[in-house]
């Protein structure tokens, strides 16, 4: 142990400088005497380089008592992990020390560094959280417990295990955001040492890193850590792609260096005339960023690498806008490519001005302009805000982090399966954002690809549940329209409206997805019961009777024979299609041992029981409004719209599916007469309906846009466009559009048919 302190002394140069790294010379002898009697730390020689770096980094910003607290945690962890090794064979204590070193680079406080050193103790040793709290306090014990996995719980599969452990960590993070910083440091060191594992495990951990942990780091603004996680994740998940792209970048880097240096010098010279302390840096694009841009924008390597990136760092916000004006006068800005993240910071606290310019020889130049403080926050995010000296945990960044975590967990409460949970987490971690406004000027931040439905649920769950249409910049748009930053969005609601299951196909936020699923699950049961009751009443009404005509004894007998506990369960069974209402009525009448007195009731028995009566009353039709949702659905094969002759098919577990009379599936299923129910349209349906039209148009430039514009002129939204066939003269194109009724569709077809470029147009059914 004395050797260990001698080692610390050598770091500072000699013993008189020990105080500079956190242990005052006056207290060194007492501290060494106190700890020398304890069991020595194992594998001292092999750990020396790691300890050397850690003490150097801690000594740069911690005071004496904090250093001693961390050293005690190191001793405690080293003894707890004694005899344990990693897959590579090195002592296990090397891993938590390396994690502590990563956090020391971020200048985290002594308790966080200590928790990092002991972060695997509860999970991998016999030491309990209670024992840890006795030695180091509740804060440290809570952090260690928050990072620990649920080792004692049995899981059905790997996904369930990952989802449950992630949920546990997120819950703990809402109490102390330092837990996620420790976890990110832990994941980064695991990625750095991933080579010791088998390839299949490497790929699983790398995918989880790219899907979950790198986006979390980005969401918390920890850019430097995020970039290394992405690089390592890319390298292990796609080793061949990483190698090829890396070699390609190395080949062209020399040629690019001259251009970067020339532009950097030109920017520096022009900016320094007005901003003396400006700093200009040419930035290399990271491999994973290049790969994502190539993949998702379908660009080749040359197109991606032709963009040159620079960062301009100044003293204050005023100089940011001053620098923007100077570079815009130097190079022409590209319209629509300016973003002001200073006035509207990203949700993770990131602030900067972004612009794209046309540089020398026509090369595009990406420029970020920010203050030194903004640059520090950009690199370290939440960790840059952590005030370890004052112990202040109320900074804006930490409040934002806690609020995000709270919303994240709130959104996940309704997630059913582990698969849903992980899917929703990934949705919430989308890095790109759009900023849209309410009619009153409130800014709503949404992920890239968000729609008016996402906006509605961001305002309030009830606004989303009752949404019927949306106005974007005062013009009505489809609810599937992707929003763009700067737009004003207004939601039109109707108390009688309810979520559409099709919304799940295009919403971009986990909040909207969960609220829709929750509403549908809640509505489905109530709706199915209501439908079952309606079907039962309709069947009885055909014979001028009702359920009230029967006594309690007959009803109980019916429920017993149908194996249900109460009348609501019977209605649910009928509404879901698991049993037909006429069959239930037959059982009801067969169990009735008294002769009915009413003529209508005798007619009912006569129809259902042989020999009672030969005539069959005309069935009464159910009225379809178009907003029935889960209990009454519209078939995708024939796409019925108001005005079409329709009939309903009762299907097990799906309620009633409405088809057109001439649908091929209706003709194929007509043998099963008992499964059909008579339905009719309401006089004023309360929604628009999808329908597909096929057009044969001249294959010339601009004809597709002409047809689309003609459809829009008739107040119909285009949901989808699909080019079925294309030759030199004719293009066959199918449009899926939303219409109010059959008359509306006829008007659209007539309008499109009158276009010179259109050869033929008609409705089709799949």
């Amino acid at each position: 142990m004395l050797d260990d302190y001698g080692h610390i002394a050598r770091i500072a140069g000699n013993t008189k400088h020990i105080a500079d790294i956190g242990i005052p010379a006056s207290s060194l002898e007492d501290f060494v005497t106190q700890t020398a009697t304890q069991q020595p730390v194992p594998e001292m020689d092999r750990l020396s380089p790691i300890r050397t770096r850690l003490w150097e980094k801690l000594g740069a910003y911690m005071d004496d008592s904090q250093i001693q607290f961390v050293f005690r945690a190191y001793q405690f962890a080293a003894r707890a992990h004694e005899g344990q090794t990693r897959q590579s064979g090195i002592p296990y204590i090397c891993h938590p020390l390396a994690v502590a070193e990563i956090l020391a680079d971020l200048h985290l406080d002594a308790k966080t560094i200590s928790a990092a050193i002991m972060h695997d103790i509860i999970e991998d040793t016999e030491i309990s959280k209670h024992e840890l709290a006795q030695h180091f306090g509740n804060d440290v014990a809570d952090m260690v417990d928050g990072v620990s996995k649920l080792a004692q719980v049995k899981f059905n599969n790997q996904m369930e295990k990952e989802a449950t452990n992630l949920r546990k960590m997120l819950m703990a993070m809402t109490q102390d955001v330092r837990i996620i910083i420790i976890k990110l440091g832990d994941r980064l060191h695991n990625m750095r040492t991933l080579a010791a594992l088998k390839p299949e495990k490497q790929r699983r951990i790398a995918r989880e890193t790219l899907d979950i942990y790198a986006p979390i780091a980005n969401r918390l603004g920890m850019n430097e850590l995020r970039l290394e996680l992405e690089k390592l994740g890319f390298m292990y998940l796609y080793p061949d792609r990483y190698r090829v792209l890396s070699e390609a970048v190395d080949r062209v880097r020399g040629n690019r260096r001259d251009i970067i240096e020339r532009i950097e010098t030109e920017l520096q010279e022009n900016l320094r005339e007005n901003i003396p302390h400006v700093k200009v840096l040419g930035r290399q694009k990271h491999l994973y960023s290049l790969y994502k841009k190539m993949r998702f924008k379908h660009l080749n390597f040359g197109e991606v690498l032709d963009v040159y990136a620079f960062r301009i760092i100044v003293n204050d916000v005023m100089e940011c806008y001053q620098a923007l004006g100077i570079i815009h006068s130097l190079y022409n800005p590209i319209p629509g490519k300016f973003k002001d993240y200073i006035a509207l910071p990203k949700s993770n606290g990131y602030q900067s001005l972004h612009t794209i310019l046309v540089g020398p020889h026509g090369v595009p130049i990406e420029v970020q302009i920010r203050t030194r403080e903004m640059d520090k926050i950009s690199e370290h995010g939440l960790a840059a805000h952590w005030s370890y000296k004052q112990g202040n945990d109320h900074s804006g960044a930490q409040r934002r982090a806690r609020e995000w975590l709270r919303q994240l967990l709130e959104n996940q409460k309704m997630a059913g399966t582990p698969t849903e949970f992980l899917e929703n987490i990934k949705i919430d971690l989308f890095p790109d954002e759009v900023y849209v406004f309410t009619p009153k000027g409130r800014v709503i931040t949404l992920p890239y690809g968000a729609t008016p439905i996402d906006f509605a649920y961001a305002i309030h769950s009830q606004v989303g549940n009752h949404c019927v249409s949306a106005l974007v910049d005062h013009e009505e748009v489809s609810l599937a329209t992707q929003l763009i930053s700067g737009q004003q969005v207004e939601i039109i609601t109707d108390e009688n409206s309810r979520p559409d299951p099709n919304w799940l196909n295009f919403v971009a936020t986990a909040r909207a997805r969960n609220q829709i699923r929750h509403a549908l699950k809640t509505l489905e049961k109530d709706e199915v019961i209501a439908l079952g009751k309606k079907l039962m009443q309709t069947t009885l009404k055909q014979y001028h009777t009702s359920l009230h005509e029967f006594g309690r004894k007959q009803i109980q007998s019916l429920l017993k024979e149908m194996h249900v506990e109460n009348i609501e369960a019977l209605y649910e069974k009928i509404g879901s299609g698991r049993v037909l209402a006429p069959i239930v009525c037959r059982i009801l009448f067969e169990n009735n041992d008294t002769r009915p007195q009413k003529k209508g009731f005798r007619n009912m028995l006569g129809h259902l029981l042989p020999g009672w009566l030969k005539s069959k009353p005309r069935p009464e039709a159910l009225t379809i409004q178009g907003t029935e949702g889960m209990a009454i659905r519209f078939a995708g094969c024939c796409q019925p719209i108001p005005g079409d002759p329709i009939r309903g098919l009762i299907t097990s577990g799906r309620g009633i599916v409405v088809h057109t009379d001439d649908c091929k599936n209706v003709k194929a299923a007509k043998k099963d007469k008992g499964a059909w129910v008579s339905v009719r349209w309401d006089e004023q349906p309360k929604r628009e309906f999808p329908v597909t039209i096929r057009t044969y148009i001249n294959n010339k430039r601009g004809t597709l846009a002409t047809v689309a514009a003609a459809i829009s002129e008739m107040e119909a939204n285009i949901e989808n466009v699909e080019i079925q066939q294309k030759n030199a003269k004719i293009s066959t194109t199918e449009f899926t559009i939303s219409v109010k009724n059959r008359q509306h569709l006829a008007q659209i077809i007539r309008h499109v048919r009158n276009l010179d470029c259109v050869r033929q147009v008609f409705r089709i059914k799949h």
Side-chain angles (χ1 to χ4, degrees):
M1 189 59 62
L2 288 170
D3 287 344
D4 199 37
Y5 279 97
H7 175 69
I8 296 174
R10 287 194 297 276
I11 297 170
N14 55 57
T15 52
K16 71 178 182 178
H17 293 300
I18 288 176
D20 295 337
I21 59 166
I23 302 178
S26 59
S27 62
L28 177 62
E29 184 177 351
D30 293 338
F31 191 58
V32 171
T33 302
Q34 177 185 349
T35 56
T37 57
Q38 299 175 3
Q39 187 176 349
V41 178
E43 300 283 359
M44 193 66 65
D45 292 338
R46 297 185 69 176
L47 296 178
S48 291
I50 303 174
R51 288 199 318 274
T52 299
R53 294 192 302 268
L54 179 59
W55 302 136
E56 283 178 333
K57 291 173 180 180
L58 296 182
Y61 69 94
M62 281 191 182
D63 61 30
D64 305 342
S65 59
Q66 290 172 328
I67 285 280
Q68 292 180 12
F69 187 85
V70 173
F71 191 82
R72 240 179 359 103
Y74 158 61
Q75 289 182 304
F76 193 86
R79 285 192 294 273
H81 289 297
E82 186 173 5
Q84 296 179 353
T85 59
R86 303 197 84 204
Q87 293 275 1
S88 59
I90 66 171
Y92 193 86
I93 188 62
C94 291
H95 167 62
L97 279 177
V99 175
E101 185 185 347
I102 291 170
L103 302 192
D105 286 331
L106 302 175
H107 285 201
L108 270 295
D109 62 296
K111 288 183 178 180
T112 309
I113 299 293
S114 299
I117 292 174
M118 299 184 291
H119 76 268
D120 280 330
I121 278 184
I122 294 177
E123 185 179 336
D124 294 340
T125 74
E126 299 298 321
I127 294 172
S128 66
K129 178 183 176 182
H130 176 71
E131 187 177 353
L132 205 60
Q134 286 182 321
H135 286 84
F136 297 96
N138 290 328
D139 283 355
V140 173
D142 287 341
M143 280 190 276
V144 173
D145 183 59
V147 181
S148 300
K149 296 177 183 176
L150 299 169
Q152 307 304 318
V153 179
K154 292 184 179 180
F155 300 99
N156 295 323
N157 52 55
Q158 183 66 31
M159 179 173 287
E160 183 180 342
K161 179 180 179 182
E162 291 174 5
T164 307
N165 283 318
L166 181 61
R167 194 194 296 260
K168 173 184 180 291
M169 184 184 69
L170 291 173
M171 291 179 65
M173 284 159 49
T174 59
Q175 303 301 317
D176 195 330
V177 292
R178 291 175 292 182
I179 289 170
I180 187 56
I181 301 178
I182 297 172
K183 184 60 182 178
L184 290 173
D186 175 43
R187 177 52 61 112
L188 178 56
H189 185 253
N190 283 334
M191 291 300 297
R192 288 174 178 175
T193 56
L194 205 58
L197 303 182
K198 295 179 180 179
E200 57 270 20
K201 196 167 185 180
Q202 290 177 358
R203 287 191 292 270
R204 179 180 63 78
I205 295 173
R207 182 175 295 281
E208 184 185 46
T209 298
L210 291 175
D211 287 350
I212 301 294
Y213 291 100
I216 285 179
N218 181 63
R219 193 63 176 70
L220 298 177
M222 302 176 70
N223 190 54
E224 191 173 39
L225 193 146
R226 186 260 304 178
L227 290 174
E228 188 173 356
L229 286 175
E230 287 184 343
K231 174 189 173 183
L232 293 169
F234 181 33
M235 183 172 69
Y236 283 105
L237 185 59
Y238 304 114
D240 292 336
R241 301 179 197 184
Y242 177 88
R243 176 182 52 79
V244 170
L245 193 57
S246 180
E247 291 173 355
V249 169
D250 289 339
R251 280 196 300 269
V252 301
R253 186 164 285 163
N255 299 329
R256 290 169 53 85
R257 189 176 292 115
D258 292 339
I259 299 176
I260 291 174
E261 288 177 357
R262 187 160 66 250
I263 297 173
E264 188 176 320
T265 301
E266 193 169 357
L267 287 171
Q268 193 96 29
E269 289 175 352
N270 282 271
L271 287 166
R272 279 191 175 169
E273 292 178 6
N274 297 284
I275 309 173
H277 302 293
V278 68
K279 188 176 181 180
V280 179
L281 302 171
R283 298 186 298 116
Q284 292 288 346
K285 285 212 174 271
H286 297 275
L287 289 181
Y288 189 62
S289 299
L290 291 174
Y291 171 72
K292 285 196 299 183
K293 188 168 285 190
M294 289 172 64
R295 183 178 178 185
F296 294 113
K297 294 191 176 182
H298 305 290
L299 302 174
N300 61 43
F301 177 71
E303 290 173 318
V304 174
L305 215 66
D306 276 348
V307 179
Y308 295 81
F310 296 87
R311 182 173 298 158
I312 297 173
I313 302 175
V314 296
N315 286 332
D316 55 45
V317 172
M318 186 65 69
E319 289 183 348
C320 288
Y321 291 98
Q322 188 179 0
L324 178 70
I326 293 170
I327 64 171
H328 276 189
S329 64
L330 184 62
Y331 302 123
N332 290 327
I334 298 177
K337 296 295 183 180
F338 169 70
K339 294 181 180 178
D340 189 344
Y341 292 120
I342 293 179
L344 288 172
K346 289 189 176 184
S347 51
N348 60 11
Y350 174 87
Q351 289 183 289
S352 195
L353 298 177
H354 289 197
T355 187
I356 300 181
L357 315 161
V358 180
H361 311 295
V363 299
I365 303 173
E366 288 184 1
V367 180
Q368 299 173 353
I369 307 171
R370 61 181 68 153
T371 67
R372 286 169 171 77
E373 180 65 21
M374 291 173 190
D375 190 56
K376 180 182 176 184
I377 293 170
S378 169
E379 294 305 310
H380 302 307
L382 179 66
H385 290 275
W386 192 266
S387 178
Y388 60 87
K389 290 181 180 178
Q390 289 81 19
N392 174 23
D393 64 346
H394 301 290
S395 76
Q398 292 168 53
R399 284 197 303 272
R400 281 194 299 271
R402 282 202 180 93
E403 178 62 19
W404 169 64
L405 292 167
R406 186 193 64 76
Q407 290 180 356
L408 195 64
L409 285 172
E410 188 71 25
N411 292 342
Q412 308 318 317
K413 283 182 180 179
M414 291 175 282
T417 65
T419 304
E420 277 185 24
F421 174 74
L422 287 177
E423 172 195 334
N424 293 338
I425 287 288
K426 292 173 186 177
I427 290 172
D428 271 309
L429 293 175
F430 278 158
D432 297 324
E433 295 168 327
V434 295
Y435 302 88
V436 291
F437 298 88
T438 68
K440 293 184 178 180
R442 176 185 165 196
V443 178
I444 302 295
T445 304
L446 297 168
Y448 178 78
T451 66
I453 295 296
D454 295 291
F455 176 89
Y457 279 105
I459 299 297
H460 195 279
S461 59
Q462 290 305 308
V463 176
N465 287 340
H466 299 303
C467 172
V468 291
S469 63
L471 301 178
V472 174
D473 292 336
H474 309 291
E475 292 187 5
E476 188 170 357
V477 300
S478 164
L479 293 177
T481 303
Q482 292 190 3
L483 300 175
I484 301 171
S485 287
Q487 291 179 327
Q488 184 192 87
V489 185
E490 182 179 356
I491 301 298
I492 309 301
T493 60
D494 184 339
E495 289 184 4
N496 297 318
S497 179
R498 63 195 69 189
D500 187 333
N502 291 323
W503 291 354
L504 294 170
N505 296 326
F506 55 76
V507 292
T509 59
R511 176 179 175 82
R513 190 177 299 274
N514 279 323
Q515 291 288 352
I516 292 167
R517 283 175 174 162
H518 179 69
L520 290 176
K521 287 175 184 176
T522 304
L523 287 170
E524 183 173 11
K525 184 175 180 180
D526 295 341
E527 201 173 76
V528 167
I529 291 173
L531 176 61
K533 184 177 181 179
K534 193 173 183 181
L535 287 169
M536 187 76 171
Q537 289 173 340
T538 301
T539 304
L540 292 172
K541 193 175 181 181
Q542 294 170 20
Y543 305 97
H544 310 288
T545 188
S546 70
L547 205 60
H548 299 296
E549 300 287 343
F550 297 87
R552 181 176 180 182
K553 182 179 178 181
Q554 284 75 35
I555 299 296
Q556 290 299 324
S557 178
L558 172 66
L559 297 178
K560 184 178 180 180
E561 188 158 347
M562 297 302 300
H563 305 289
V564 292
E565 294 182 358
N566 50 50
I567 196 67
E568 285 78 14
L570 176 61
Y571 289 151
E572 185 179 359
K573 210 168 184 178
I574 297 170
S576 65
R578 286 177 286 165
V579 65
L580 300 179
I583 294 176
V584 175
C585 291
R586 179 173 306 200
I587 295 171
L588 177 63
F589 299 136
E590 288 176 344
N591 290 338
N592 185 8
D593 56 2
T594 60
R595 284 185 62 84
Q597 299 302 315
K598 290 190 177 181
K599 182 178 179 181
F601 188 60
R602 286 198 301 272
N603 287 343
M604 180 67 173
L605 292 178
H607 171 60
L608 292 173
L609 300 179
W612 279 58
L613 197 65
K614 294 181 179 179
S615 64
K616 181 180 178 181
R618 185 178 180 181
E620 184 173 319
L622 287 175
T623 300
I624 304 298
Q625 292 182 326
T627 58
E628 285 76 5
M630 299 299 295
I632 299 179
R633 311 163 193 252
F634 297 90
C637 52
C638 53
Q639 295 179 315
I641 60 176
D644 288 338
I646 54 175
R647 61 174 57 208
L649 174 64
I650 301 177
T651 55
S652 180
R654 296 182 62 201
I656 294 177
V657 180
V658 179
H659 294 260
T660 60
D661 253 351
D662 60 350
C663 177
K664 59 183 180 181
N665 292 325
V666 170
K667 295 175 182 177
K670 274 187 175 178
K671 292 181 180 179
D672 187 9
K673 296 180 180 179
W676 293 97
V677 63
S678 180
V679 292
R680 63 180 175 85
W681 292 106
D682 185 76
E683 292 181 2
Q684 294 182 333
K686 298 180 179 180
R687 57 167 277 190
E688 291 187 343
F689 299 80
V691 66
T692 302
I693 60 173
R694 178 176 292 164
T695 62
Y696 294 94
I697 58 179
N698 294 330
N699 189 11
K700 293 181 180 179
R701 181 176 297 176
T703 53
L704 182 62
T706 301
V707 175
I711 294 172
S712 297
E713 286 172 7
M714 299 304 295
E715 299 182 351
N717 288 319
I718 299 175
E719 303 291 345
N720 186 49
V721 179
E722 187 175 345
I723 299 176
Q724 296 288 335
Q725 185 179 351
K726 190 173 182 180
N727 57 40
K729 294 184 178 181
I730 302 296
S731 176
T732 305
T733 307
E734 291 184 1
F735 294 86
T736 301
I737 61 177
S738 297
V739 300
K740 298 173 183 175
N741 50 43
R742 195 164 176 161
Q743 183 181 5
H744 185 203
L745 175 61
Q747 292 170 349
I748 295 168
I749 290 177
R750 280 197 300 270
H751 186 60
V752 172
R753 187 178 288 138
N754 289 332
L755 298 174
D756 293 337
C757 61
V758 176
R759 300 286 189 91
Q760 195 175 2
V761 56
F762 52 89
R763 176 184 179 182
I764 66 168
K765 298 178 182 180
H766 296 285

